[in-house]
């Protein structure tokens, strides 16, 4: 078993805007996510890229069957990485967001800015991703709604 903190989470969580400001309004999470959008490189996409590099490294180390697991905010990056990587053969998500439509239709949602993808609903929603992951033995445990994203 390997564990990975993608950028901005766990050991790599920044204090860019001061100590204990990560999820405060206009705190580090917002700061990094807003800048990533301005640079046309959504923060969630960068986290997915981190996971894809880890998966490639695992494959290079000889691992054949990669079971990717993610929880809460990490479940989103794990879902996208699992979809994009043929090396992933099994996926377990816990507390994954049910859909971006829920975020769009909830006035005061509780998910961090970094979990959002600009314009995503013009193309697809998370249930489409989860359906595509059924071939990879997706287990989607205890999904979260729009008001649950700060429970991590």
């Amino acid at each position: 078993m390997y564990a990975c903190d993608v950028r901005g989470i766990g050991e790599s969580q920044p204090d860019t805007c001061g100590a204990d400001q990560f999820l405060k309004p206009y705190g580090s999470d917002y700061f990094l996510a807003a800048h990533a959008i301005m640079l046309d490189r959504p923060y969630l996409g960068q986290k997915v890229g981190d996971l894809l590099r880890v998966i490639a490294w695992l494959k290079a180390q000889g691992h054949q069957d990669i079971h990717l697991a993610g929880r809460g905010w990490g479940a989103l990056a794990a879902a996208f990485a699992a979809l994009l990587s043929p090396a992933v053969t099994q996926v377990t998500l816990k507390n994954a967001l049910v859909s971006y439509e829920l975020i769009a239709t909830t006035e005061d949602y509780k998910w961090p800015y970094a979990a959002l993808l600009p314009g995503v609903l013009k193309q697809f929603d998370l249930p489409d991703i989860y359906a595509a992951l059924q071939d990879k033995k997706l287990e989607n445990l205890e999904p979260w709604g729009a008001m649950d994203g700060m429970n991590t």
Side-chain angles (χ1 to χ4, degrees), residues 3-151:
C4 159
D5 285 336
V6 295
R7 69 186 70 204
I9 299 297
E11 293 296 318
S12 68
Q13 189 175 74
D15 280 334
T16 308
C17 297
D20 299 323
Q21 295 296 309
F22 184 71
L23 289 175
K24 302 284 188 213
Y26 306 108
S28 299
D29 177 76
Y30 177 87
F31 176 82
L32 295 171
H35 280 85
I37 288 171
M38 286 189 281
L39 295 171
D40 200 26
R41 295 188 65 228
Y43 204 31
L44 179 56
Q46 293 179 51
K47 293 175 184 197
V48 171
D50 293 345
L51 282 176
L52 290 172
R53 284 185 282 286
V54 170
I55 292 166
W57 177 82
L58 289 169
K59 191 80 170 149
Q61 300 304 308
H63 297 284
Q64 299 302 312
D65 295 316
I66 297 174
H67 178 170
L68 188 58
R71 179 180 163 271
W73 308 336
L76 295 174
F80 286 113
L83 183 68
L84 295 170
S85 176
V88 175
T89 58
Q90 189 172 349
V91 185
T92 301
L93 306 176
K94 183 173 182 181
N95 308 134
L97 177 61
V98 171
S99 74
Y100 281 119
E101 181 182 15
L102 279 177
I103 297 290
T105 58
T106 301
E107 186 174 340
D108 190 25
Y109 60 86
K110 303 288 185 207
W111 279 80
Y113 197 35
L116 308 180
L117 290 173
V120 67
L121 290 173
K122 293 177 187 173
Q123 306 298 321
F124 62 89
D125 198 358
L126 292 170
D128 302 315
I129 302 301
Y130 303 147
L133 289 174
Q134 292 304 316
D135 291 342
K136 295 189 178 193
K137 304 175 207 157
L138 171 66
E139 280 191 84
N140 197 352
L141 309 171
E142 302 172 33
W144 277 353
M147 300 304 289
D148 300 314
M150 294 300 196
N151 291 339

